[in-house]
């Protein structure tokens, strides 16, 4: 009951306060249990529903603007949302393979890195940056981020690693692979210890910073390893020169040292490969047939690496000091903005051409805002008029939309994908933990799998495999530590329970199994990537999916610690 005061104000009772706080405390999942006529009002007023938005308020779109009033329409709209998720996945994949990966190769080449160091640093960061961005989103403020991070790492290693091993055989550097897998094991063990250790169940600021220190040590060890290898190469070259000056050259010892030097030189180089043949086979649709001509489960012989690109020749293409500075300016501008690849159009069939037409609006949008820097292209992708236009447009778009960095499109795609995945899970009454380790993990691994597959078929298998292991190290250590630093809720009492999640133990045990079995098959195959290894990794992922589905349906126990209520 409310009483009116002399100042024409109301005195609120405890019941009034409860109703006032109702919309602040109610979960958005509860909205789905209400009649359709009330969902629009709840979507507008429930604070938890405002958390599950980014650029678009999908709940208002569903129950206010479209005015869904039956289950059939709701399911049809979810199918449309799933189609939009596929579009966002394609945007991330196209952005990474067309714009991001060439720049990473160029930066690595300029910094004199080898494939392994480039893979565990720049490429791993490029593949994992959606994770670190998503962990700072409001939708993950109280999400089971340990389950998400470890589940994503598991999907990347098993799905992307399996694809890389299946598509093209290559020799893996043994000590680099063992080192990176052991650091991955160290990272997940340190993270788990920080969360499940005895105490109030909170993560302190110093522990969060300590996780970043693990990654700093990891990168430092990789850099020192490369420096030591190059020093040993110089020393070995001097020894070979001295052996040549001897009256009698010890042939066996000379051959052994020359073989060691050759293997080191292969691991040391990072050439810019000419991928013309690969692009043409992709455009014509024959690349999969060529990859499996010996049989689906038969590992073909290792191919010779593609020819290297003449960087200087491509840069000075059509250059002549006597030509006007703005020669073919508008023609170059229009060709740079052409969203349909002419070579792919000529070589592709009807389905390929239809796909090129369908995707052309999105490709055009990306070409307008994202500069192309690629040593394989003429003039390295330079277009004077377009690049000048981008200097004006890009700061405006970035500041207006997201106040963020140059990876705007990846951020938008990753965040919208995260929001849509959670909405689909809510509508179909699936738990957040289950969606995170199934649909979410597969969605997160798909762009990595596409980008790493492209690199492998272009002859960068070692770089792709290094990123497959280095990416999870970055995601588990750095992205989790950043989330712990900026999310103050993790320092509340018993925060580890919701951060760890219901399926955290399942993900942890399967990741340890994956690390151990990857070490096993790598040593067994003498560090050669084979198709049987790829199929083996896929089988582990299917077993993991089966285990999670059975745990979701309560057929088996999910390995989490059961909650115990103390008697009052």
């Amino acid at each position: 009951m409310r009483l009116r005061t002399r100042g024409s104000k109301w005195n609120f009772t405890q019941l009034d306060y409860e109703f006032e706080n109702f919309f602040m405390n109610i979960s958005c999942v509860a909205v789905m249990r209400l009649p359709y006529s009330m969902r629009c009002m709840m979507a507008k007023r429930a604070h938890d529903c405002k958390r599950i938005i980014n650029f678009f308020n999908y709940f208002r779109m569903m129950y206010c603007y479209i005015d869904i009033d039956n289950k059939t329409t709701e399911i049809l709209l979810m199918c449309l949302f799933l189609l939009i998720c596929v579009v966002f996945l394609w945007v991330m994949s196209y952005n990474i393979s067309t714009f991001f990966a060439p720049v990473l190769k160029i930066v690595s080449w300029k910094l004199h890195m080898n494939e392994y160091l480039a893979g565990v640093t720049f490429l791993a960061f490029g593949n994992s940056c959606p994770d670190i961005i998503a962990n700072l989103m409001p939708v993950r403020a109280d999400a089971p981020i340990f389950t998400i991070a470890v589940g994503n790492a598991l999907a990347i290693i098993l799905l992307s690693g399996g694809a890389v091993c299946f598509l093209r055989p290559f020799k893996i550097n043994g000590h680099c692979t063992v080192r990176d897998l052991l650091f991955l094991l160290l990272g997940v063990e340190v993270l788990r210890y920080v969360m499940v250790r005895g105490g109030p169940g909170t993560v302190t600021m110093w522990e969060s910073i300590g996780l970043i220190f693990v990654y700093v040590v990891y990168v430092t060890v990789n850099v020192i390893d490369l420096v030591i290898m190059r020093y040993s190469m110089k020393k070995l070259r001097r020894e070979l020169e001295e052996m040549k000056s001897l009256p009698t050259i010890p042939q066996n010892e000379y051959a052994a040292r020359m073989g060691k030097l050759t293997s080191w030189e292969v691991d040391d180089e990072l050439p810019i490969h000419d991928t013309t043949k690969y692009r043409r086979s992709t455009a014509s649709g024959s690349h999969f047939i060529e990859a499996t001509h010996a049989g689906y489960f038969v590992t073909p012989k290792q191919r010779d690496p593609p020819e290297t690109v003449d960087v200087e020749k491509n840069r000075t293409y059509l250059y002549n000091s006597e030509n006007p500075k703005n020669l073919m300016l508008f023609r170059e501008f229009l060709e740079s903005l052409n969203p349909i690849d002419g070579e792919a159009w000529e070589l592709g069939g009807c389905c390929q051409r239809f796909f090129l037409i369908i995707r052309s609006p999105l490709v055009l949008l990306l070409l307008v805002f994202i500069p192309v820097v690629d040593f394989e292209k003429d003039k390295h992708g330079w277009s004077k008029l377009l690049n000048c236009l981008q200097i004006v447009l890009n700061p405006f778009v970035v500041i207006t939309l997201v106040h963020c960095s140059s990876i705007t499109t990846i951020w938008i795609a990753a965040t919208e994908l995260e929001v849509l995945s959670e909405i689909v899970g809510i509508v179909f009454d699936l738990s957040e933990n289950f969606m995170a380790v199934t649909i979410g993990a597969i969605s997160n691994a798909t762009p990595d799998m596409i980008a790493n597959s492209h690199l492998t078929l272009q002859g960068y298998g070692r770089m792709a495999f290094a990123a497959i292991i280095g990416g999870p190290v970055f995601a588990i250590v750095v992205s989790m530590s950043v989330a712990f630093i900026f999310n103050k809720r993790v320092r509340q009492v018993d925060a580890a329970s919701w951060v760890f999640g219901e399926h955290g133990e399942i993900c942890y045990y399967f990741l340890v199994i994956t690390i151990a079995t990857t070490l096993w098959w790598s040593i067994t195959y003498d560090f050669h990537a084979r198709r049987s290894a790829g199929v083996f990794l896929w089988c582990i992922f299917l077993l993991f999916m089966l285990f999670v589905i059975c745990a979701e349906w309560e057929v088996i126990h999910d390995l989490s610690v059961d909650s115990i209520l103390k008697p009052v």
Side-chain angles (χ1 to χ4, degrees), residues 104-409:
L104 290 177
K105 289 189 288 186
I106 292 170
V107 172
S108 304
W109 182 72
K110 290 285 188 180
L111 294 177
H112 304 287
M113 293 181 171
N114 64 353
E115 283 194 47
Y116 294 100
L117 186 58
V120 300
T121 53
F122 291 126
L123 187 57
F125 170 76
N127 292 343
S128 302
C129 63
D131 274 347
I132 194 171
I133 293 170
N135 280 346
L136 299 177
M137 293 165 45
V139 71
R140 287 195 181 177
D142 54 358
I145 52 178
F146 178 87
T147 299
I148 294 173
V150 179
N152 290 346
L154 194 62
I156 289 172
I157 296 174
L158 296 177
L159 293 180
S160 185
V164 165
C165 294
F166 186 87
L167 288 174
R168 182 170 182 167
F170 58 93
K171 183 71 165 64
I172 306 170
N173 186 292
H175 73 274
C176 290
T177 302
V178 173
R179 176 199 62 206
D180 295 342
L181 287 171
L182 292 179
F183 261 103
L184 177 59
L185 182 62
L186 174 65
V188 72
E189 289 294 343
V190 171
L191 176 61
R192 186 172 183 269
Y193 170 76
V194 166
M195 297 181 58
V196 302
R197 75 193 192 288
T202 61
V203 181
T204 65
M205 179 65 73
W206 287 109
E207 289 170 340
S208 305
I209 297 174
L211 288 173
I212 297 181
F213 180 73
V214 173
Y215 187 76
V216 172
V217 173
Y218 171 64
V219 175
T220 303
V221 169
N222 274 273
V223 174
I224 292 175
D225 182 65
L226 180 60
V227 172
I228 293 175
M229 186 183 73
R230 288 178 175 171
Y231 172 78
S232 301
M233 289 172 60
K234 291 180 181 180
K235 182 180 179 181
L236 192 56
R237 289 192 184 101
R238 289 196 303 266
E239 293 176 355
L240 290 172
E241 291 296 328
E242 292 174 359
M243 291 176 69
K244 287 182 180 180
S245 62
L246 295 175
T248 303
I249 301 177
Q251 295 296 332
N252 293 336
E253 185 178 356
Y254 184 85
R257 295 191 179 187
M258 181 59 71
K260 182 183 292 186
L261 178 62
T262 302
S263 64
W264 283 350
E265 287 175 343
V266 171
D267 291 336
D268 182 53
E269 62 184 6
L270 178 57
I272 304 297
H273 291 156
D274 185 1
T275 60
T276 303
K277 184 178 179 181
Y278 164 72
R279 292 199 308 270
R280 289 175 178 174
S281 65
T282 303
S284 62
S286 62
H287 63 287
F288 184 76
I289 298 175
E290 294 174 359
T292 58
H293 70 279
Y296 288 101
F297 302 107
V298 177
T299 302
K301 294 182 179 180
Q302 294 189 22
R303 303 177 185 177
D304 295 330
E307 297 181 359
T308 58
V309 171
D310 190 337
V311 176
E312 187 61 24
K313 181 180 179 180
N314 287 355
R315 187 182 72 85
T316 58
Y317 179 73
L318 294 179
Y319 173 76
N320 192 326
S321 58
E322 298 180 358
N323 289 337
K325 294 184 178 180
N326 294 326
L327 180 66
M328 299 187 298
L329 180 67
F330 290 99
R331 179 181 176 182
E332 181 185 72
F333 173 74
L334 294 176
E335 288 179 352
S336 300
L337 284 179
N338 184 10
I340 298 178
D341 188 350
E343 189 176 57
W345 179 269
E346 292 293 332
L347 296 174
C350 295
C351 296
Q352 176 72 8
R353 292 179 178 181
F354 179 74
F355 176 69
L356 292 174
I357 294 173
I358 291 297
R359 75 174 195 177
S360 58
L362 288 174
V363 174
L364 178 62
L365 186 65
L366 295 175
L367 290 172
V368 168
F369 293 107
I370 305 178
V372 175
V373 184
D374 193 346
F375 279 177
E376 296 183 44
K377 295 183 178 295
D378 297 333
K379 301 172 67 173
H380 296 174
W382 167 259
S383 175
K384 184 176 182 179
L385 188 57
L386 178 59
N387 293 140
C388 291
L389 184 66
Q390 289 167 342
I391 292 174
V392 179
L393 288 178
N394 283 358
F396 170 76
V397 172
V398 170
I399 294 173
T400 303
L401 290 181
V402 293
H403 307 279
C404 194
S405 61
S406 59
I407 51 177
T408 306
T409 55

Side-chain angles (χ1 to χ4, degrees), residues 450-469:
I450 295 173
N452 292 328
S453 298
H454 282 313
L455 287 172
T456 302
L457 293 174
Q458 292 172 7
Y460 298 100
R462 292 188 295 270
M463 182 191 294
F465 197 80
I468 287 168
I469 303 175

